Every structure is written in C-alpha cells, then in structure tokens.
Amino acid sequence: MTQFDKSKLPSRHVSVGPERAPHRSYYYAMGLTEEEIGRPFVAVASAGNDSAPCNTTLDAQADACRRGVEQGGGMPRRFNTITVTDGIAMGHQGMKSSLVSREVIADSVELSVRGHCYDALVAFAGCDKSLPGMMMAMLRLNVPAIFVYGGSILPGRFDQRDVTVVDVFEIVGQYAAGTCPIERVHALEKVACPGHGACGGQFTANTMACVGEAIGLSLPNSNMVPAPYTSREQIAVAAGAQVMELLAANIRPRDICTRDAFENAARIVAATGGSTNGALHLPAMAHEAGIAFDLFDVAEIFKTTPYIADLKPGGQYVAKDMYDAGGVYMAMKTLMAEGFLHGDCLTVTGRTLGENIERVTWNPDQKVIYDARTPITPTGGVVGLKGSLAPDGAIVKVAGMHRLTFEGPARVFDCEEDCFAAVEKRDIAEGSVIVIRYEGPKGGPGMREMLSTTAALYGQGMGEKVALITDGRFSGATRGFCIGHVGPEAADGGPIALIENGDPIRIDAEAGTIDLLVDPNILADRRSHWQPRANDYQAGALWRYARNVGPASKGAVTHPGAAAETHVYADI
C-alpha cells in the first residue's frame, strides 16, 4: 500500500497537528482510527436520489467505491448532491431548473471538497446535467479525480421492438393527432422504462458519458455498462483504487483535459450522433480548465467528423447495444485508425488514449458502430450554424435526418407553452419555421429543453415538415429539424427577438448557415422599438442565475473560470 505524505495534501488542514485536535475529534466520533485519520481523504460524490431511475443506483455504486479507495490507502468520505432530472422536469416550468442545476452541482461539489479539504475525488452521476456538473467540479478543483457514469437503462419492449422514453413523448403527439387511443398510451408508458438507469438512447446522459471516456476522465469502457449489470460494482471499486494511483502520481484533471482532449471529446459527440447539449457542456468544462473552446470550436470539429454510431434517436440502437458492440473505445478504435483522434492525450489510467486504444481489438461482426472508412454519413451527426439570425451561432442534430435545408415563414412564440398548445391543436402549418424565443439562459431563465414540443410534432408526422428554432435547448432525444442555442438570445436583443410572423427564414445544415431574410432597414426599425422583457423569476436561484449567466456559445457559464484564478484549490 502506498504511503502518502499528508504534509503536501489539502487534508492536512483538518487532520494534522495539535491545533487540529478539535477537527480530529469529529473523525473519531465517526469511528475512524488514528491510522485512518492519517490517510488521504477522498471525496466520493454521488448524485444518487429517488427523483428518477437515472440516479437510483448511484449511492450503492458510490458505497462500493469506498472499498477501492481503502484498498489504495485512502479514507473515503461520501456526500451527495442534487439532480434535476429532465424527463420529469420536461414540458413545464420545472425545466427552467435543469441547466441551473449543472452549476449548483458543480458549486456544491466544490464547496464540500473545499470545506472539508479533501485530497481527491470520485464522482458518480446519472442524469444529463449531473455529468458535466461533476466533471466541471473536477476541473475546477483540479485534485486527482475520476468520473463514473451510473449506467443506462435497459430498453423497454413494445410491439416486438425496443423502446425508450422518447417513444412515450412521441405517442403523446399521436394521441393529440387522434391517431392513437389513450389505452395504447398507457400501455407504452408502463413498459418503456423497465428499471434503473439513465435514458438509453444517445441522448445527453449517454453523450456526456462517452465524453467522459473520450476526454480521459473515466476508466476505459466503463460508462456504457448498463445500470442493472453487476459489473458496475466492480467498476466503482476499480475507480476508487485508481484514484489513489492518480494521487500518488499527482495526475490531475487539467493534466488530462488539454485542448487536444477537448477536440477528442467533440469528435465522439459528432461521431455518435450525440446530443446538441454536448456543444453547451464542452465549452463550460473547458472554461473550468482555462481553455478557450466555444461553440464555433466545437462546430469546426463536427464539420470533419464521420457519423459512425447507429444510435437512437437518429438510428436504431441503444446504449446497451453499444456496450455489447464494444463500447466507446470500439468507436474510438476506428476513429483513431483514420486519424481523427489525438492519441497522445493522458487518461486516468496513467496511460495515453492511444495506449488504451491499442488494447482494443476491432470487432467487425457488430452492427452498431461503423468503420470510419465507411461511415453512416461522412460528416458528423451534429452541425454548427451561423448567420444573420444567429451571429453568435446555433446548433442542430442532423443524425438520421433526410432533409438538410429548409426555408419557410416564421411562426413566432414567446414561450414553449404557447407553442405546445398550438401543436396540440394542430395549429401549425406544414412548411413553417417555428420560433420559440425568450427561453435562453438569461431570458428563460434557465434555457429549457423543448422535447415535449418536438416529440409531439414528430408524433403527429410533422417532424421534418416544419423546422423549429429557439434560443433555448433541445433534449438529446429530440429529432427533426430543430435548431437550438440561437445567439445572441432574445433577452439580449439578438435577431431572434426581432422576428415577426411570416418573416422568411432559411436554414442550410450542409453549408452551416441560418439567416433571417428581412431587409436590414426593417430590422433596424424593429430594433428601435424593441424593449427587454421581464420574466416571472425575480427572486431565488433562477434570478441569481439570470444575473450571472453568460451566452450559450461559451457554455452558459456563471463565473470567470480558470483564466481568472490566482490559485488552484488542489495547491492549498
């Protein structure tokens, strides 16, 4: 067992010297011995709770991690943080809390580690915002750290096919269109989510789980293991043991998450047809490391990345199938072979990404992951856009789409509820470009996802017959011609705030453009009459978030980041 010198570790401030006798008394109260108090203190942060199946196995996994930490000579200290689970927050005012929760998670982990002077961190997360929130905290604190995903849910079965929660969102649209009886809705909702784990398609949770491995913060081929599998316990133990190796070698998250590592992460988002939210979370994570990596940097990577993983919602398979096919490293094996990845990036194994990939043998018999030489499409499943409607950029997921250009008249809504009501009434004409605005990070506040609306449109058969643009976000489960993260947002007086019903809008996902086809003089006149709008959140966490949040193109972050640091926590 490695012997650690606590005189160089943060935990010396709470456990070493006569003046820390009061602090040690608390540890004795919890049953620790003098020898155990002399070990490094390792934070084991869990987003476990009863809010949703994404999070229900996390505490057990975190407890298993304790064994690995102890085997490696550390003293585990577990604590919990919150989640806001998007599938339950979706379609109502609760979704305004979702993106804000990412910051609260990062902040709460930071504060707990700072307050108790922990030396290392293993973080467990399951639902969308908790994954980047944990990884942001790891980069902010810069103590040796490993990220562990709780695992995906197994697919449900309905009509002899695999289904996910997205099918339930979409059947709501079928019911509203009068093409599906309520009994069928109830039958599907009871079987779509058969147990523990996060949403099974390549939605935001699985996208960011892939990022964890590609960027080097997770153990190889650990994150695609479904939540119910008993091997998740072994992964948790291994993470606890390995974080002690990182502590001994002083390998920190910012050593791992270099600019090249962020490019690798963006590659895996595009190559797997991942969530557009990847283009929000990667800049936010980079911000914590002091790396300039915004929406346009992400989009440049997307432009040259082949789409190779046939995953829902654009494809036909779920996370379990990707795991069976060989996992994230199988996808990275073929990307590496074709020169799309930086193989010299360090990972939490202590080896480089390239060295980890060398241990993987390509499986030509699996059906989920295509060879990068013969991809599903030659460019990525996610595309960045820019133009007169979005000078600060926008993002669209094109995986599985047949139509990559769209032009039509605007149909404008100032909040998601009004748009959803129009969709339910079938009051949206084919060929329309639906605009949902004042839903950005500041204007929402909270930058809501629009899955209820997009899924209802798809369920009505309108998925590719209309386009939808918003300064809010889309779920990773969204499919259809849906453009999010439009910036500047309406609350900041961006061009999206000036659109009127009937204005022609042109979107070209092949060229990467999005334009409002209105005479600049007319727009200037509209701007002279435009007034900022107040929202209903004039106190509390959402008010504070709206006052501090920056643009979506830079990750919707709320503080200056590592570029403004004068010291790093890990060096106290």
Side-chain angles (χ1 to χ4, degrees):
M1 184 183 295
T2 303
Q3 296 297 310
F4 293 89
D5 180 3
K6 287 196 79 166
S7 70
K8 296 182 173 66
L9 296 176
S11 62
R12 72 186 185 278
H13 295 297
V14 296
S15 61
V16 175
E19 70 277 15
R20 303 309 180 201
H23 306 68
R24 290 192 295 273
S25 69
Y26 282 126
Y27 293 110
Y28 286 120
M30 291 183 280
L32 272 64
T33 65
E34 184 174 353
E35 185 273 332
E36 288 171 332
I37 296 171
R39 299 180 188 179
F41 289 167
V42 178
V44 180
S46 169
N49 56 53
D50 295 340
S51 300
C54 337
N55 311 311
T56 45
T57 68
L58 295 176
D59 285 350
Q61 292 185 47
D63 283 339
C65 176
R66 295 175 191 259
R67 300 203 303 272
V69 171
E70 290 168 350
Q71 289 167 16
M75 191 73 261
R77 302 285 85 196
R78 206 199 91 187
F79 64 87
N80 282 57
T81 186
I82 69 157
T83 62
V84 172
T85 298
D86 292 5
I88 291 175
M90 193 74 67
H92 54 88
Q93 294 288 304
M95 180 48 75
K96 293 180 184 291
S97 300
S98 172
L99 185 58
V100 181
S101 76
R102 184 191 72 179
E103 314 310 306
V104 172
I105 290 163
D107 291 350
S108 65
V109 173
E110 176 197 359
L111 294 173
S112 189
V113 171
R114 281 187 183 277
H116 302 109
C117 294
Y118 294 142
D119 302 316
L121 169 64
V122 185
F124 290 79
C127 191
D128 295 7
K129 307 309 167 297
S130 57
L131 283 79
M134 290 291 196
M135 288 187 272
M136 287 163 66
M138 291 162 62
L139 287 160
R140 186 183 302 176
L141 293 160
N142 205 33
V143 291
I146 293 179
F147 173 74
V148 185
Y149 179 44
S152 73
I153 199 169
L154 295 173
R157 293 290 292 177
F158 189 72
D159 286 349
Q160 285 73 57
R161 64 186 178 91
D162 284 349
V163 293
T164 71
V165 70
V166 176
D167 296 276
V168 189
F169 276 101
E170 292 183 0
I171 206 171
V172 171
Q174 296 171 26
Y175 172 72
T179 60
C180 170
I182 191 63
E183 292 78 16
R184 188 170 170 81
V185 176
H186 290 325
L188 175 59
E189 71 184 60
K190 290 177 180 177
V191 300
C193 300
H196 301 291
C199 297
Q202 194 64 347
F203 314 148
T204 303
N206 284 321
T207 297
M208 296 310 295
C210 289
V211 162
E213 293 193 34
I215 209 167
L217 292 176
S218 295
L219 295 174
N221 273 340
S222 61
N223 286 349
M224 287 297 103
V225 180
Y229 284 21
T230 55
S231 53
R232 290 234 59 94
E233 180 178 344
Q234 298 161 17
I235 291 166
V237 174
Q242 184 59 26
V243 83
M244 299 308 299
E245 298 293 330
L246 296 178
L247 186 61
N250 196 29
I251 295 174
R252 300 179 178 186
R254 295 186 196 176
D255 301 324
I256 292 168
C257 295
T258 61
R259 168 76 188 219
D260 283 353
F262 277 98
E263 292 183 2
N264 288 343
R267 289 277 187 215
I268 207 70
V269 172
T272 60
S275 169
T276 54
N277 286 314
L280 188 71
H281 300 321
L282 286 175
M285 289 169 58
H287 181 73
E288 301 287 357
I291 296 170
F293 194 68
D294 64 13
L295 172 62
F296 297 114
D297 295 309
V298 175
E300 282 300 310
I301 302 296
F302 288 172
K303 277 183 189 176
T304 58
T305 306
Y307 168 41
I308 61 170
D310 189 13
L311 298 168
K312 290 177 180 285
Q316 52 185 325
Y317 296 107
V318 295
K320 172 190 176 295
D321 301 315
M322 187 173 181
Y323 167 67
D324 291 338
V328 182
Y329 267 77
M330 189 61 64
M332 291 198 291
K333 180 77 173 179
T334 184
L335 290 172
M336 186 76 171
E338 299 307 311
F340 290 106
L341 297 176
H342 302 287
D344 57 350
C345 293
L346 188 63
T347 73
V348 292
T349 63
R351 301 184 297 271
T352 66
L353 186 73
E355 289 169 337
N356 291 342
I357 290 173
E358 283 177 7
R359 300 182 174 207
V360 175
T361 301
W362 174 253
N363 177 5
D365 299 322
Q366 52 82 28
K367 307 294 185 187
V368 181
I369 303 161
Y370 285 55
D371 191 307
R373 290 174 295 181
T374 55
I376 301 169
T377 57
T379 56
V382 186
V383 173
L385 305 174
K386 187 176 184 179
S388 62
L389 179 48
D392 286 354
I395 199 88
V396 61
K397 185 171 184 172
V398 298
M401 281 175 49
H402 303 101
R403 182 179 182 179
L404 297 180
T405 60
F406 200 103
E407 184 172 337
R411 177 75 186 280
V412 183
F413 301 91
D414 285 346
C415 67
E416 186 194 9
E417 284 87 351
D418 291 350
C419 181
F420 186 74
V423 171
E424 278 198 307
K425 295 174 186 174
R426 309 297 304 274
D427 186 25
I428 302 288
E430 288 188 22
S432 299
V433 178
I434 302 167
V435 177
I436 305 178
R437 62 191 179 192
Y438 296 101
E439 291 285 9
K442 183 185 297 184
M447 203 179 183
R448 283 195 289 182
E449 290 183 352
M450 309 291 172
L451 179 60
S452 291
T453 299
T454 61
L457 284 165
Y458 224 94
Q460 292 176 5
M462 295 280 280
E464 294 195 28
K465 295 177 181 177
V466 297
L468 197 160
I469 68 172
T470 180
D471 51 7
R473 298 181 296 120
F474 291 112
S475 166
T478 289
R479 53 180 177 157
F481 217 131
C482 300
I483 295 97
H485 306 195
V486 169
E489 62 173 290
D492 283 332
I496 192 172
L498 308 178
I499 302 171
E500 294 184 359
N501 285 325
D503 285 351
I505 294 171
R506 181 188 299 143
I507 306 153
D508 188 335
E510 292 180 301
T513 58
I514 178 168
D515 291 298
L516 177 59
L517 306 178
V518 175
D519 185 279
N521 293 324
I522 295 175
L523 291 178
D525 180 65
R526 291 179 188 175
R527 181 173 297 285
S528 70
H529 296 96
W530 178 80
Q531 295 290 328
R533 298 186 176 214
N535 61 60
D536 291 337
Y537 296 87
Q538 295 302 309
L542 293 176
W543 177 88
R544 185 166 56 245
Y545 179 83
R547 293 301 181 279
N548 290 294
V549 70
S553 63
K554 296 186 182 299
V557 295
T558 57
H559 70 105
E565 285 177 341
T566 58
H567 77 282
V568 179
Y569 162 76
D571 294 328
I572 65 168

